[in-house]
Amino acid sequence: MNFINPAAFWALLTIGIIVLLYFLKLKRQKKVISNLFLFNRMLVDQKANRPFQKLRRNLLLLIQILFLLLSIMGLSRPTFIKNIFSNYNYIILIDSSASMMATDDGESRFERAKERATEIISNFAESDMAMIISADTKTYIRAPLSRDKRALKKNIDTLEPTETPTNLYDAFTVIMSALKQKKIDKIYVISDGANVGLEQLAEERNITKDNFPEVEFISIGKGSDNVGIVDLDINATGNNRENLQVFARIVNFSNEPKTTDVELYNGDDLIDIKEITIPAQENYPVIFDDARLEQGLITMKLSIDDKLEVDNTAYAYMKKPESIQVLMVTKKNMFLENALRVNPVVSLTKMNPFSYDEKSDYSSYDVIIFDSFFPNVTPKTNILLINSEAAPLNILKRVSADGKTAREELPNIIDYDKTHPIMKYINFENTVIAKSTYFSTPGWMQKIVEAEDSTLIYAGEKLGRRVILISFDLTESDFILKSSFPMFIYNSMIWLSDHFDKKSSSYSRTGDSIRRKVYEQDIIEVTTPESDVIEVKVFNDEFFFDNTKWVGLYTTKGADGFEDFFIANLLSEKESDITPSPFIKIGGKKIKPTSKISVRKELWKYFVIFAIIFIIIEWWVYHRKVFY
Amino acid sequence: MKHKILDPGFIKRLERLSLLSKKIFAGKVQSLRRSTHKGNSAEFADYRSYELGDDLRYIDWNIYARLEKLLIKLFVAEEELSLYIIIDNSKSMCCPDDEKFIYAKKIAAALSYISLANLDRVGISAFSNKLDVHVMPSRGRKHFFTCVHYIESMEEDGGTSINKALFEFAKIMKRPGVVLLISDFFDPEGYESGLSFLQYKKFDVNIVQVFNPIERDMTLQGDLRLTDVETNEFIDVTVTEKLTKMYHDEFGALSSELEAFCMKRGITHLSAPTDYHFEDLILKYFKVKKMVKS
């Protein structure tokens, strides 16, 4: 057996009242008298001489009926609002973003929001229905329209805030969809008031106060006592980019100056610490120069005790910038060599194909360029293949009917992927190429520059190894003469060595979706900063992870020892500004927060109180015979 | 419990009294009272013609000398009177104490003695819910002891039903006489029809309303559960000054109604609060009310 309202057991205390009444029961002195008929005659006279005698005669009955009426009224749960049988449909939108984790008076804003939501549901009429939506960066319909108050409350109870920014725009987009399906009479927005994008939404969807349900804004939180990290960057400096500079922007959102220590950790080691004082409502840039950083996790922490803790920490992953070790295996390619030498981050080693020893270990090189040559054994590093006669890594050269390599003469370039990193700032139009080789490539090789029949440039990554394949002889094209060529080589070296990604800071924002290429993997296990392990299926050599709710390091693991990571930071100035918004604006209407929820105020308590009063009067009348 | 009802000194004083009746009844036995029969008392009543067998002593010889007719002198016959004492022995007579009942018994005893001393017949009945005719009318001083014995042994029992008792009484007692009804008259069903029926049956009805001053004045106070001694019904009351006054008025109304009824019907009504000095009641009050005479 379960109880919908176990709090009702507190009413058991009223047993005490009954016991008290029992003890207070009038102890009448018993007297035997010679006659009662004089008293009875007297009563008849009394009653005859008083008005409303019919009522008086049944005073006890009347009081008992009144008691019963009040009790029944109490049970019917009357309210002040007239639409008791209104069948109202409500949407309760609860902001679950990071700012709702701020604590006011020891209680988190999100807990307050849940309490208010529960309060709203408690005051609904039995015929009302409510939908629960929580919104942070993403919008979740937690409970569809239901009149099961118990289930709705339970649902609210299970809600948790996330460390992601607010996106009420999406939430209202979902609400707009709900409006098309169901009549919604009122929307409660329980938030600390980040009105991100609502005006834009109103404009896009032509929302006016006439075509949109009533919105009631329940503002949660008070004060703005927060200092947060809103930017974090790690840059390489110096000619050879050998130095690191950690930059952070810290904002004091409160109305008084704040002093805090900014601590910089590399892994678990405290590297540097700075004490800063930030004036009220001001930015403060913090720079750590010459930090002796090693590859690994960089953590910046503020030691301040403020209302919002999540923005006091930010993470980045750092790889100390090093020069890209490139081995160029070619008979002679002056243009390619020059293009490599102008790149300050490239450390070039040149080798003749005859000198290339297949048995040697060349894995210390970040990139090996095979120009018109390819060894029988594929080296375990990143490769740039130019006009290769051999085909490594399941790249198959297509052979024509006569047994010769199939080639396309003067291939006409029809498309190239400008978005790929190696094509950054590259113009491939009007490039003349003598001939290109046909290849059959595995799925992980992406076509970058395509001719009518053949593909001129491929790029792909497998098991951490990146490969670029150029299917034509550079020396038989005018590409090497173009200004794009050094840039293409630069881009290729950077991409192949994964230089930018690892050389300095790299992170995403909480709430962002992470999309990563992985090869020969079916399932990736993502371990969140909260140590939850989430399995993600890989489709088309890509996994998609959108559960970046928490700030911190997410590690990914796959088959064959595959291991990677990514980082999510809040770094949101809007989210760190926890000052409750004075209003939200939708449909051209400013909605100010309601101090008191305009829900049905139930009156049953008062009826119960009156019922108790009447039962006491009944007791008194019964025992005292006050009509004398 | 038996009581010594009358003390000898008081009995002596009673000997000087005799019962008064508003009516002249035709008795069977010659007594010291006028009768509707012509008798041989000293008081002349009429003449009639001499018939054989008449006592020659009652021939008026003077008439015979004058008119030469034998006329017999007729005198007012002095016959005995029947006094029927009916005592209420319901439980209310012993509530709040037995003072009321004793008082009633004393009245009954005193009136019995007065009547018997005047050669009247005295019968005593008691009633509560029903009538109990215990002492049939009889005469002679010895009868007094029978009466007193019965009076003393009388105990309270049951409720009050005056009308019923009087109807029964009238059926049993065919011979009219003086009825002395002693009761507190606390009968919700009333008394009117019973008393009227007695009058219809030619009884000279006299009533004595006995009450305890406590009953009149309502000395009880506070939150009470009052139980009727006869019916065991109860009511819960909170006795206030207002209630006391109302009760007092109600009691007064009851007495007034009884008195008014009696006056209207020619019934002698005597009010006998138990705090009234008993000898004064008999020797003075009864005299004033012409129940007895010296």
Side-chain angles (χ1 to χ4, degrees):
Chain A
M1 185 166 61
N2 294 309
F3 300 96
I4 293 171
N5 182 22
F9 285 116
W10 285 105
L12 288 173
L13 292 176
T14 54
I15 290 173
I17 296 172
I18 293 169
V19 173
L20 191 67
L21 285 176
Y22 175 80
F23 284 118
L24 288 176
K25 191 178 175 184
L26 200 58
K27 300 288 182 193
R28 293 187 177 276
Q29 201 178 352
K30 289 181 180 172
K31 289 282 178 190
V32 178
I33 58 168
S34 56
N35 76 91
L36 272 186
F37 90 97
L38 277 183
F39 282 94
N40 291 332
R41 275 173 48 135
M42 207 159 69
L43 280 182
V44 171
D45 294 346
Q46 280 286 301
K47 286 172 186 173
N49 293 329
R50 283 184 181 176
F52 311 113
Q53 279 314 303
K54 283 184 182 174
L55 294 179
R56 284 183 176 274
R57 191 163 51 209
N58 298 313
L59 188 57
L60 279 178
L61 175 70
L62 281 173
I63 292 171
Q64 284 163 358
I65 287 171
L66 261 173
F67 166 74
L68 199 64
L69 277 176
L70 289 167
S71 304
I72 291 166
M73 286 290 283
L75 285 174
S76 65
R77 300 175 67 179
T79 73
F80 269 129
I81 292 178
K82 55 188 174 184
N83 301 318
I84 292 171
F85 305 106
S86 56
N87 293 313
Y88 268 26
N89 293 340
Y90 297 94
I91 288 178
I92 300 174
L93 171 61
I94 304 172
D95 183 352
S96 58
S97 65
S99 61
M100 294 295 281
M101 297 172 98
T103 50
D104 297 306
D105 304 327
E107 190 185 22
S108 88
R109 290 181 178 182
F110 195 73
E111 288 304 315
R112 288 282 301 281
K114 281 160 72 174
E115 285 168 14
R116 301 305 294 272
T118 308
E119 193 182 329
I120 291 167
I121 287 172
S122 299
N123 285 293
F124 281 170
E126 293 299 328
S127 57
D128 290 344
M129 298 214 283
M131 176 191 277
I132 310 291
I133 293 177
S134 75
D136 38 66
T137 299
K138 294 182 176 61
T139 300
Y140 304 91
I141 297 177
R142 300 292 180 179
L145 271 178
S146 165
R147 54 171 62 94
D148 184 351
K149 288 186 181 183
R150 192 180 163 207
L152 290 170
K153 285 180 186 174
K154 204 172 173 183
N155 199 291
I156 289 169
D157 207 38
T158 58
L159 293 181
E160 292 288 341
T162 64
E163 295 174 352
T164 63
T166 317
N167 181 4
L168 288 187
Y169 178 92
D170 281 0
F172 270 83
T173 307
V174 170
I175 289 172
M176 297 289 284
S177 304
L179 288 177
K180 288 177 186 167
Q181 295 166 12
K182 282 273 183 182
K183 173 185 79 85
I184 302 294
D185 301 287
K186 195 168 188 176
I187 300 167
Y188 290 99
V189 179
I190 309 175
S191 169
D192 53 2
N195 48 349
V196 184
L198 279 187
E199 287 181 41
Q200 183 194 341
L201 179 84
E203 206 170 283
E204 284 175 8
R205 302 292 181 102
N206 191 26
I207 294 175
T208 62
K209 60 182 177 183
D210 300 324
N211 65 6
F212 201 73
E214 183 190 349
V215 177
E216 189 161 330
F217 173 41
I218 297 158
S219 181
I220 300 290
K222 53 187 176 184
S224 56
D225 179 19
N226 186 38
V227 175
I229 303 168
V230 297
D231 269 323
L232 176 67
D233 200 7
I234 301 174
N235 282 320
T237 58
N239 288 336
N240 294 322
R241 298 186 163 223
E242 70 279 10
N243 298 324
L244 281 175
Q245 190 181 55
V246 179
F247 166 80
R249 190 162 63 92
I250 297 163
V251 183
N252 175 13
F253 296 95
S254 71
N255 296 320
E256 51 192 42
K258 294 279 181 184
T259 299
T260 179
D261 286 341
V262 185
E263 298 162 359
L264 189 68
Y265 293 85
N266 191 182
D268 293 331
D269 302 326
L270 180 63
I271 301 298
D272 204 349
I273 186 165
K274 282 185 179 180
E275 188 186 80
I276 58 168
T277 299
I278 316 171
Q281 299 186 333
E282 285 290 340
N283 287 283
Y284 197 97
V286 178
I287 298 167
F288 289 93
D289 284 319
D290 301 325
R292 292 173 191 171
L293 299 175
E294 293 183 4
Q295 181 168 312
L297 189 68
I298 302 290
T299 309
M300 181 176 280
K301 282 184 183 173
L302 304 182
S303 62
I304 195 165
D305 181 20
D306 57 11
K307 284 187 170 180
L308 186 63
E309 201 183 333
V310 64
D311 61 357
N312 292 347
T313 309
Y315 301 90
Y317 191 84
M318 190 281 304
K319 184 181 178 183
K320 194 171 183 179
E322 292 169 352
S323 59
I324 305 166
Q325 297 297 319
V326 178
L327 173 64
M328 183 173 72
V329 184
T330 181
K331 287 175 186 172
K332 189 179 182 184
N333 194 334
M334 190 178 67
F335 294 100
L336 178 61
E337 188 180 334
N338 285 339
L340 289 165
R341 290 206 188 279
V342 296
N343 190 340
V345 297
V346 169
S347 171
L348 182 66
T349 305
K350 193 180 166 190
M351 186 182 279
N352 196 295
F354 300 114
S355 311
Y356 186 82
D357 182 6
E358 291 178 355
K359 294 174 183 172
S360 298
D361 180 14
Y362 295 104
S363 61
S364 60
Y365 289 100
D366 293 319
V367 179
I368 299 178
I369 303 170
F370 292 109
D371 180 23
S372 303
F373 162 78
F374 193 78
N376 293 323
V377 179
T378 309
K380 290 180 178 175
T381 187
N382 305 304
I383 300 167
L384 170 60
L385 281 170
I386 303 169
N387 190 31
S388 178
E389 287 296 324
L393 304 166
N394 293 330
I395 302 170
L396 297 174
K397 204 159 59 171
R398 219 183 289 170
V399 181
S400 61
D402 57 1
K404 290 184 179 177
T405 305
R407 294 182 195 274
E408 183 183 5
E409 299 289 335
L410 292 171
N412 187 20
I413 297 164
I414 55 168
D415 192 21
Y416 59 98
D417 184 357
K418 291 174 189 168
T419 60
H420 196 278
I422 65 170
M423 299 305 287
K424 202 173 178 183
Y425 310 123
I426 304 299
N427 183 2
F428 232 89
E429 288 169 11
N430 302 322
T431 302
V432 180
I433 295 162
K435 53 190 171 188
S436 64
T437 307
Y438 289 105
F439 285 96
S440 296
T441 52
W444 54 271
M445 285 297 275
Q446 185 183 348
K447 292 173 180 177
I448 305 299
V449 181
E450 293 179 78
E452 280 179 2
D453 292 329
S454 62
T455 301
L456 303 179
I457 298 175
Y458 296 90
E461 183 177 352
K462 185 180 182 186
L463 292 175
R465 174 199 278 147
R466 289 183 175 182
V467 178
I468 296 175
L469 172 61
I470 300 174
S471 67
F472 60 91
D473 187 348
L474 289 174
T475 55
E476 290 184 356
S477 77
D478 64 354
F479 183 44
I480 52 173
L481 302 174
K482 295 194 177 225
S483 58
S484 292
F485 181 65
M487 182 56 73
F488 174 77
I489 294 301
Y490 176 83
N491 288 345
S492 299
M493 292 304 109
I494 295 295
W495 182 75
L496 284 170
S497 62
D498 201 9
H499 191 71
F500 272 163
D501 284 358
K502 290 184 181 174
K503 73 163 186 179
S504 59
S505 61
S506 164
Y507 57 79
S508 303
R509 306 285 170 128
T510 49
D512 285 355
S513 298
I514 304 294
R515 199 178 194 134
R516 288 284 165 99
K517 280 275 182 190
V518 286
Y519 300 103
E520 297 181 351
Q521 300 288 339
D522 294 324
I523 288 174
I524 296 291
E525 275 187 0
V526 182
T527 307
T528 70
E530 298 286 300
S531 302
D532 297 328
V533 178
I534 300 166
E535 286 191 349
V536 183
K537 280 194 174 176
V538 177
F539 291 102
N540 298 326
D541 294 329
E542 200 171 50
F543 84 88
F544 182 79
F545 184 79
D546 64 349
N547 213 4
T548 51
K549 289 188 208 171
W550 313 109
V551 170
L553 183 71
Y554 293 72
T555 56
T556 55
K557 283 183 183 172
D560 300 327
F562 171 78
E563 209 170 303
D564 202 354
F565 65 87
F566 56 87
I567 284 167
N569 282 320
L570 176 63
L571 301 181
S572 164
E573 195 165 344
K574 281 183 176 172
E575 206 58 33
S576 289
D577 185 0
I578 60 169
T579 316
S581 176
F583 59 87
I584 58 172
K585 195 173 178 184
I586 188 160
K589 187 182 172 187
K590 272 186 186 175
I591 301 162
K592 290 186 177 173
T594 44
S595 57
K596 210 170 182 181
I597 301 171
S598 66
V599 289
R600 294 184 172 84
K601 189 70 185 171
E602 291 209 57
L603 304 172
W604 66 269
K605 293 170 194 165
Y606 305 103
F607 281 92
V608 168
I609 289 168
F610 280 115
I612 290 170
I613 290 170
F614 272 94
I615 203 70
I616 289 169
I617 291 172
E618 191 263 355
W619 175 89
W620 191 69
V621 168
Y622 180 77
H623 288 288
R624 299 285 300 188
K625 302 281 184 191
V626 288
F627 44 80
Y628 287 138
Chain B
M1 186 182 287
K2 293 181 179 179
H3 301 273
K4 192 77 179 172
I5 292 178
L6 301 173
D7 64 87
F10 179 62
I11 288 174
K12 273 193 173 178
R13 296 173 70 182
L14 291 178
E15 280 184 353
R16 290 185 281 121
L17 298 177
S18 63
L19 196 64
L20 270 176
S21 172
K22 294 181 284 298
K23 287 185 176 180
I24 297 169
F25 298 98
K28 283 182 178 175
V29 181
Q30 192 174 352
S31 178
L32 301 177
R33 197 167 299 277
R34 276 170 63 133
S35 169
T36 51
H37 297 160
K38 304 294 180 288
N40 48 7
S41 70
E43 196 174 344
F44 171 78
D46 205 353
Y47 294 100
R48 70 167 171 83
S49 300
Y50 172 77
E51 289 177 8
L52 282 174
D54 284 340
D55 192 338
L56 295 175
R57 287 179 295 174
Y58 295 108
I59 294 172
D60 189 338
W61 295 109
N62 292 328
I63 295 291
Y64 177 72
R66 238 186 2 254
L67 301 174
E68 291 184 346
K69 282 184 181 176
L70 283 173
L71 292 176
I72 296 292
K73 283 196 278 189
L74 295 177
F75 299 91
V76 174
E78 288 189 334
E79 292 182 356
E80 90 283 11
L81 182 72
S82 291
L83 172 66
Y84 303 101
I85 299 175
I86 306 172
I87 304 174
D88 181 355
N89 72 331
S90 65
K91 283 182 178 176
S92 64
M93 292 294 284
C94 280
C95 188
D97 50 39
D98 56 359
E99 202 174 307
K100 200 161 67 174
F101 199 30
I102 292 168
Y103 205 77
K105 284 178 174 183
K106 281 184 172 178
I107 295 168
L111 269 293
S112 300
Y113 186 82
I114 291 167
S115 296
L116 290 171
N118 288 284
L119 301 177
D120 291 329
R121 288 169 173 270
V122 173
I124 299 177
S125 304
F127 76 94
S128 52
N129 288 324
K130 60 183 190 316
L131 184 74
D132 176 25
V133 183
H134 194 82
V135 179
M136 290 303 283
S138 186
R139 57 189 293 183
R141 292 200 178 229
K142 284 182 183 175
H143 186 59
F144 177 67
F145 297 103
T146 310
C147 293
V148 168
H149 177 73
Y150 172 64
I151 290 168
E152 284 185 340
S153 63
M154 199 183 284
E155 287 189 353
E156 79 282 3
D157 184 33
T160 309
S161 184
I162 296 172
N163 289 334
K164 189 181 167 193
L166 296 184
F167 277 117
E168 271 184 57
F169 175 83
K171 280 180 193 170
I172 296 167
M173 298 299 169
K174 302 289 182 189
R175 191 175 179 188
V178 176
V179 169
L180 181 66
L181 176 65
I182 308 169
S183 173
D184 54 11
F185 291 91
F186 290 152
D187 185 350
E189 289 167 15
Y191 43 80
E192 292 86 349
S193 57
L195 293 176
S196 301
F197 190 67
L198 281 186
Q199 284 193 309
Y200 170 74
K201 289 287 185 181
K202 313 281 188 204
F203 287 96
D204 177 12
V205 184
N206 302 272
I207 60 169
V208 180
Q209 184 192 5
V210 189
F211 60 90
N212 193 320
I214 293 171
E215 292 175 307
R216 180 190 58 203
D217 300 334
M218 185 70 182
T219 54
L220 299 171
Q221 286 291 332
D223 298 312
L224 302 172
R225 168 162 290 186
L226 300 177
T227 307
D228 190 308
V229 68
E230 293 180 1
T231 60
N232 284 328
E233 288 174 15
F234 65 86
I235 56 168
D236 293 331
V237 292
T238 301
V239 181
T240 57
E241 276 186 28
K242 187 183 172 191
L243 179 73
T244 306
K245 185 178 179 307
M246 284 165 62
Y247 178 86
H248 191 266
D249 292 347
E250 198 64 43
F251 188 89
L254 175 77
S255 301
S256 303
E257 285 166 14
L258 180 61
E259 198 172 347
F261 175 79
C262 291
M263 189 177 285
K264 188 178 169 188
R265 303 285 304 186
I267 297 170
T268 304
H269 169 260
L270 295 105
S271 184
T274 55
D275 60 346
Y276 196 86
H277 193 265
F278 181 68
E279 290 187 11
D280 288 347
L281 178 85
I282 302 295
L283 300 175
K284 294 179 182 171
Y285 184 56
F286 273 46
K287 258 190 190 174
V288 170
K289 284 284 183 177
K290 299 194 185 317
M291 268 290 286
V292 294
K293 65 175 182 180
S294 299

